[in-house]
Amino acid sequence: MTSGATTLAVRGGTPVRTRPFPTWPVFDGSDEARVLEALRSGKWGRLAGDQVDQFEQRFAAMHGCRYGIAMVNGTVTLRIALMAAGLQAEDEVIVPTYTFLSTATAVVEANAVPVFVDVDLATFNLDPAAVQAAITPRTRAVVPVHFAGQTADLDAIRDIAARHDLFVLEDAAHAHGARHWERPAGSVGHAGSFSFQSSKNLTSGEGGILVTNDEQLAARCRSIHNCGRVPGGVWYEHHVISGNYRLGELQGALLNAQLERLERQTATRDANGRALAARLAAIPGVHPQQRPEWCTRHSQHLFMLRLDAETFGAPREAAIEALQAEGIPCVSGYGYPLPEQPLFRNKAFGPYLPHARARLDYTQVSCPHSQRLCREQAVWLDQSLLLGTDEDMRDIGDAFEKVHAGLQTT
Ligand SMILES: Cc1ncc(COP(=O)(O)O)c(C=O)c1O
C-alpha cells in the first residue's frame, strides 16, 4: 500500500502543490500611472508622443545598440529587418525547424525562401554544422532563434556568416535580458528582433522591437515601418514598399514601466532555472536544455526539457498528465516541426515566391531532432513559474521525482 503522500495525484493521491504559481503579467500602480499619463496626454500615436521614443532609446542602450525601432509585433520586426537587409525575391534564409511559425513566415512575407535546418537535440538551438551544410549560392541570411531564452551558438554561426557574407538576424523573441558571453542577446548579430506579445518576458500585450548598430539598416527599418517616409521628407512621399507598423504610445508607456522590472525578473528566472535544471537532471530520463558556457544568462522564457520515455519509465503524455495533477503546469509544446505545418506542406504562400514554388519541397526536410522533440520528448514550463521562490522550485522538483517514482509501478 502506498501512502496518500506518495500515491500520484492522478490516481487519487494528495497533490504536491495546491497553491498557484506566480501569474503573468506582473503590474502595479507604476504601470497604471505611466499608461494613465499617456492616456491623459491625448497623444496616443507615436508621431505625437514620446513614450515609444523613450522606450526605443532605453531598450537599445540596454543592448549596447545605437538604434531601436519599435513595431507592432515581433513578426513584423523580423520581416522588416530582412527587407531592410536588401534581400531580393527568392533569396534563401536559413531558419530552425523547431521554433514559432513567425521565424519562417516572416521570410516568406519578405518574398524570400525559408530553408529549414534541424536543431541540436541537447540545446534545442540551431546546429551550426547543419547551417553550414544548408548553404547554397542563394543563401543570404540566417535567423538563429534563442530558443526558450538560451542563446544559440552565435560564435559558430557568425563565423559561417562571415565566410559566406550572410546577414545574421537574431530572433530574440524569447531572450529579453539573456546574455551571450555577457553580451545582451539581440546585440551580437547584425540585428536582433524581440516580441512583446502577452506571454513574453517583457510585454505590452502586443509589440516588438528591432535593435542594431548598423546605421543604414536602422534607417531603412525606420522608413519601412513608417510608410516609407524618410527623415525630413514630404509627409505624403513614400520611398519604398512599406506600411504603418508603428507601435502606439499606450503600449510604449506600458513597456517603459515594465522595463523597470526586467533586470530583476531575469536574474530570478536565471537563478531558478539553474537550480531546477540541476535537480531535474538527476532524474533518469529527464534532460533539461543543456546550457553551454556562452549563455551567461538564460532568460528562461520557457524551462524546457526532454523526457526520454524509455529511461524515465513512462511516456511523456502520462508524465505531463501526472505532473499537471500534482499542480505543476506544463505542456508538450509544438505538435510538429515547422516544415510539417500545412502552410509549408501545401506551400500556401499566396502571392509570394511564385517562381520558387516548383523547386520547393518541404515534405523532404530532414529534422529528426525536431520530430523527436515534438512527437515524443519536449516538455515546457512557462516563464512565470520561474519567477517563484526556492520553495516553488522545490515543489517542481518534488513533483517530477514523485511522478518518476509513481509511474514506474504501472
Ligand atoms: C521565436 C519567436 N519568434 C517570433 C515570434 C513572433 O512574435 P509576435 O507574436 O510578437 O509576432 C514569436 C512569438 O511567439 C516567437 O516565439
Side-chain angles (χ1 to χ4, degrees):
M1 248 336 231
T2 48
S3 73
T6 52
T7 304
L8 292 179
V10 77
R11 297 183 191 142
T14 310
V16 168
R17 173 96 189 180
T18 45
R19 286 181 300 119
F21 283 96
T23 56
W24 188 255
V26 173
F27 60 94
D28 61 22
S30 63
D31 303 78
E32 287 176 20
R34 199 107 197 199
V35 174
L36 208 55
E37 184 193 327
L39 178 84
R40 288 183 176 151
S41 74
K43 296 171 178 171
W44 298 350
R46 78 152 296 166
L47 299 174
D50 68 352
Q51 293 287 346
V52 174
D53 211 46
Q54 267 185 46
F55 175 72
E56 286 178 340
Q57 288 178 30
R58 292 175 67 198
F59 196 83
M62 198 183 116
H63 287 79
C65 287
R66 285 191 288 157
Y67 309 100
I69 302 108
M71 305 189 203
V72 290
N73 59 50
T75 305
V76 157
T77 46
L78 290 169
R79 168 158 61 90
I80 289 183
L82 292 170
M83 290 167 72
L87 258 68
Q88 299 299 306
E90 298 178 11
D91 280 349
E92 292 178 1
V93 179
I94 294 175
V95 298
T97 44
Y98 194 79
T99 179
F100 183 66
L101 176 82
S102 304
T103 314
T105 53
V107 175
V108 178
E109 287 181 336
N111 211 18
V113 176
V115 173
F116 288 105
V117 160
D118 206 359
V119 295
D120 179 272
L121 197 53
T123 63
F124 317 139
N125 275 330
L126 264 186
D127 173 1
V131 171
Q132 177 68 61
I135 290 175
T136 76
R138 297 174 194 233
T139 313
R140 296 285 173 268
V142 54
V143 189
V145 176
H146 303 312
F147 201 82
Q150 176 168 296
T151 56
D153 190 347
L154 289 175
D155 304 346
I157 291 169
R158 283 174 71 210
D159 279 354
I160 296 168
R163 282 201 300 279
H164 297 273
D165 194 21
L166 308 181
F167 178 66
V168 179
L169 172 58
E170 293 174 66
D171 184 345
H174 296 184
H176 315 73
R179 293 196 192 135
H180 186 82
W181 298 123
E182 291 305 319
R183 284 179 70 180
S187 72
V188 183
H190 296 103
S193 166
F194 292 83
S195 162
F196 304 128
Q197 170 269 341
S198 305
S199 71
K200 300 301 188 290
N201 292 20
L202 180 67
T203 183
S204 51
E206 305 291 353
I209 196 169
L210 200 84
V211 294
T212 183
N213 270 311
D214 181 327
E215 185 179 357
Q216 221 183 23
L217 186 81
R220 287 197 192 127
C221 289
R222 198 166 283 292
S223 175
I224 297 170
H225 108 299
N226 185 23
C227 307
R229 297 191 173 100
V230 291
V234 176
W235 185 247
Y236 286 118
E237 200 172 277
H238 311 283
H239 292 254
V240 286
I241 184 75
S242 53
N244 172 6
Y245 304 107
R246 301 181 302 259
L247 190 69
E249 284 290 286
L250 301 186
Q251 284 160 310
L254 189 50
L255 286 166
N256 276 316
Q258 291 281 314
L259 193 59
E260 299 289 341
R261 296 186 190 88
L262 181 64
E263 187 61 25
R264 192 167 26 86
Q265 288 171 333
T266 310
T268 303
R269 292 188 190 97
D270 182 45
N272 278 333
R274 274 192 196 275
L276 193 57
R279 175 145 182 214
L280 298 191
I283 303 172
V286 175
H287 304 286
Q289 183 174 30
Q290 198 179 86
R291 183 163 165 173
E293 266 193 293
W294 64 68
C295 182
T296 45
R297 194 158 75 170
H298 194 311
S299 61
Q300 299 287 176
H301 174 59
L302 300 167
F303 182 94
M304 181 170 161
L305 56 94
R306 273 192 314 120
L307 197 140
D308 176 28
E310 212 170 301
T311 325
F312 186 76
R316 169 182 66 174
E317 281 59 36
I320 287 179
E321 190 191 357
L323 285 162
Q324 288 171 346
E326 297 298 339
I328 310 301
C330 56
V331 294
S332 55
Y334 307 132
Y336 31 83
L338 258 192
E340 293 179 21
Q341 289 283 351
L343 153 72
F344 289 104
R345 279 279 149 102
N346 303 327
K347 293 177 271 181
F349 299 154
Y352 299 107
L353 308 180
H355 306 296
R357 249 176 269 176
R359 70 180 159 86
L360 287 177
D361 184 358
Y362 287 113
T363 63
Q364 297 305 309
V365 175
S366 166
C367 56
H369 295 160
S370 298
Q371 282 170 339
R372 199 182 312 173
L373 290 172
C374 293
R375 291 184 192 147
E376 298 165 33
Q377 297 194 331
V379 178
W380 294 2
L381 281 75
D382 187 69
Q383 53 97 357
S384 62
L385 274 62
L386 278 283
L387 287 176
T389 59
D390 292 351
E391 204 185 355
D392 293 335
M393 297 309 108
R394 197 195 59 210
D395 285 346
I396 298 173
D398 288 350
F400 267 84
E401 283 175 7
K402 182 180 171 189
V403 164
H404 171 250
L407 289 179
Q408 304 304 306
T409 56
T410 45

